[in-house]
mmCIF file of all heavy atoms in Angstrom:
data_model
loop_
_atom_site.group_PDB
_atom_site.id
_atom_site.type_symbol
_atom_site.label_atom_id
_atom_site.label_comp_id
_atom_site.label_asym_id
_atom_site.label_seq_id
_atom_site.Cartn_x
_atom_site.Cartn_y
_atom_site.Cartn_z
ATOM 1 N N SER Z 54 9.660 6.745 -4.039
ATOM 2 C CA SER Z 54 9.016 5.519 -3.549
ATOM 3 C C SER Z 54 7.925 5.905 -2.565
ATOM 4 O O SER Z 54 7.848 7.069 -2.133
ATOM 5 C CB SER Z 54 10.039 4.602 -2.843
ATOM 6 O OG SER Z 54 10.516 5.230 -1.669
ATOM 7 N N CYS Z 55 7.130 4.929 -2.187
ATOM 8 C CA CYS Z 55 6.136 5.149 -1.134
ATOM 9 C C CYS Z 55 6.856 5.351 0.197
ATOM 10 O O CYS Z 55 6.464 6.181 1.009
ATOM 11 C CB CYS Z 55 5.192 3.949 -1.070
ATOM 12 S SG CYS Z 55 4.024 3.986 0.287
ATOM 13 N N THR Z 56 7.932 4.574 0.388
ATOM 14 C CA THR Z 56 8.721 4.726 1.611
ATOM 15 C C THR Z 56 9.174 6.177 1.761
ATOM 16 O O THR Z 56 9.076 6.768 2.842
ATOM 17 C CB THR Z 56 9.965 3.808 1.556
ATOM 18 O OG1 THR Z 56 9.539 2.500 1.158
ATOM 19 C CG2 THR Z 56 10.667 3.735 2.881
ATOM 20 N N PHE Z 81 4.290 -3.818 6.043
ATOM 21 C CA PHE Z 81 5.628 -3.786 5.478
ATOM 22 C C PHE Z 81 6.514 -2.851 6.311
ATOM 23 O O PHE Z 81 6.020 -1.913 6.927
ATOM 24 C CB PHE Z 81 5.527 -3.287 4.028
ATOM 25 C CG PHE Z 81 6.785 -3.480 3.230
ATOM 26 C CD1 PHE Z 81 7.406 -4.710 3.158
ATOM 27 C CD2 PHE Z 81 7.349 -2.412 2.546
ATOM 28 C CE1 PHE Z 81 8.564 -4.886 2.418
ATOM 29 C CE2 PHE Z 81 8.509 -2.579 1.802
ATOM 30 C CZ PHE Z 81 9.119 -3.818 1.744
ATOM 31 N N SER Z 83 8.255 -0.463 5.572
ATOM 32 C CA SER Z 83 8.205 0.943 5.174
ATOM 33 C C SER Z 83 7.181 1.750 5.955
ATOM 34 O O SER Z 83 7.219 2.974 5.941
ATOM 35 C CB SER Z 83 7.878 1.052 3.687
ATOM 36 O OG SER Z 83 8.907 0.472 2.950
ATOM 37 N N ASP Z 152 -0.714 4.950 4.895
ATOM 38 C CA ASP Z 152 0.149 4.176 4.010
ATOM 39 C C ASP Z 152 -0.796 3.479 3.035
ATOM 40 O O ASP Z 152 -1.296 2.392 3.297
ATOM 41 C CB ASP Z 152 0.967 3.166 4.819
ATOM 42 C CG ASP Z 152 1.825 2.274 3.921
ATOM 43 O OD1 ASP Z 152 1.604 2.258 2.693
ATOM 44 O OD2 ASP Z 152 2.705 1.576 4.462
ATOM 45 N N ALA Z 154 -0.080 2.420 0.112
ATOM 46 C CA ALA Z 154 0.778 1.789 -0.903
ATOM 47 C C ALA Z 154 0.002 0.841 -1.810
ATOM 48 O O ALA Z 154 0.219 0.801 -3.015
ATOM 49 C CB ALA Z 154 1.922 1.045 -0.231
ATOM 50 N N GLN Z 155 -0.915 0.083 -1.214
ATOM 51 C CA GLN Z 155 -1.621 -0.953 -1.982
ATOM 52 C C GLN Z 155 -3.012 -0.506 -2.380
ATOM 53 O O GLN Z 155 -3.788 -1.300 -2.890
ATOM 54 C CB GLN Z 155 -1.767 -2.216 -1.105
ATOM 55 C CG GLN Z 155 -0.487 -2.672 -0.482
ATOM 56 C CD GLN Z 155 -0.685 -3.869 0.436
ATOM 57 O OE1 GLN Z 155 -1.790 -4.312 0.688
ATOM 58 N NE2 GLN Z 155 0.420 -4.394 0.939
ATOM 59 N N SER Z 176 2.261 3.738 -3.643
ATOM 60 C CA SER Z 176 3.465 3.104 -4.202
ATOM 61 C C SER Z 176 3.233 2.653 -5.638
ATOM 62 O O SER Z 176 2.150 2.159 -5.970
ATOM 63 C CB SER Z 176 3.847 1.876 -3.368
ATOM 64 O OG SER Z 176 4.892 1.164 -4.016
ATOM 65 N N LYS Z 181 2.821 -3.498 -7.436
ATOM 66 C CA LYS Z 181 1.518 -2.853 -7.250
ATOM 67 C C LYS Z 181 0.698 -2.848 -8.546
ATOM 68 O O LYS Z 181 1.221 -3.106 -9.620
ATOM 69 C CB LYS Z 181 1.705 -1.417 -6.750
ATOM 70 C CG LYS Z 181 2.669 -1.264 -5.587
ATOM 71 C CD LYS Z 181 2.277 -2.034 -4.327
ATOM 72 C CE LYS Z 181 3.111 -1.590 -3.144
ATOM 73 N NZ LYS Z 181 3.614 -2.623 -2.260
ATOM 74 N N GLY Z 188 8.584 3.793 -7.412
ATOM 75 C CA GLY Z 188 8.037 5.149 -7.412
ATOM 76 C C GLY Z 188 6.959 5.280 -6.368
ATOM 77 O O GLY Z 188 6.452 4.279 -5.837
ATOM 78 N N TYR Z 320 3.473 -10.874 5.281
ATOM 79 C CA TYR Z 320 4.379 -10.221 6.228
ATOM 80 C C TYR Z 320 4.805 -11.085 7.413
ATOM 81 O O TYR Z 320 4.027 -11.837 7.971
ATOM 82 C CB TYR Z 320 3.716 -8.964 6.795
ATOM 83 C CG TYR Z 320 3.323 -7.969 5.758
ATOM 84 C CD1 TYR Z 320 2.019 -7.508 5.681
ATOM 85 C CD2 TYR Z 320 4.251 -7.480 4.840
ATOM 86 C CE1 TYR Z 320 1.646 -6.572 4.728
ATOM 87 C CE2 TYR Z 320 3.887 -6.550 3.890
ATOM 88 C CZ TYR Z 320 2.580 -6.105 3.833
ATOM 89 O OH TYR Z 320 2.212 -5.186 2.900
HETATM 90 C C1 PLP T 401 4.728 -1.767 -1.219
HETATM 91 C C2 PLP T 401 4.480 -1.193 0.126
HETATM 92 C C3 PLP T 401 5.285 -0.169 0.648
HETATM 93 C C4 PLP T 401 6.550 0.290 0.009
HETATM 94 O O1 PLP T 401 6.419 0.893 -1.203
HETATM 95 P P1 PLP T 401 7.742 1.384 -1.961
HETATM 96 O O2 PLP T 401 7.195 2.201 -3.079
HETATM 97 O O3 PLP T 401 8.464 0.168 -2.409
HETATM 98 O O4 PLP T 401 8.533 2.195 -1.000
HETATM 99 C C5 PLP T 401 4.936 0.389 1.869
HETATM 100 N N1 PLP T 401 3.865 -0.036 2.550
HETATM 101 C C6 PLP T 401 3.071 -1.018 2.092
HETATM 102 C C7 PLP T 401 1.879 -1.423 2.896
HETATM 103 C C8 PLP T 401 3.366 -1.641 0.870
HETATM 104 O O5 PLP T 401 2.582 -2.635 0.439
#
Side-chain angles (χ1 to χ4, degrees):
S54 66
C55 174
T56 312
F81 192 52
S83 296
D152 177 347
Q155 309 177 355
S176 172
K181 312 300 192 223
Y320 302 125

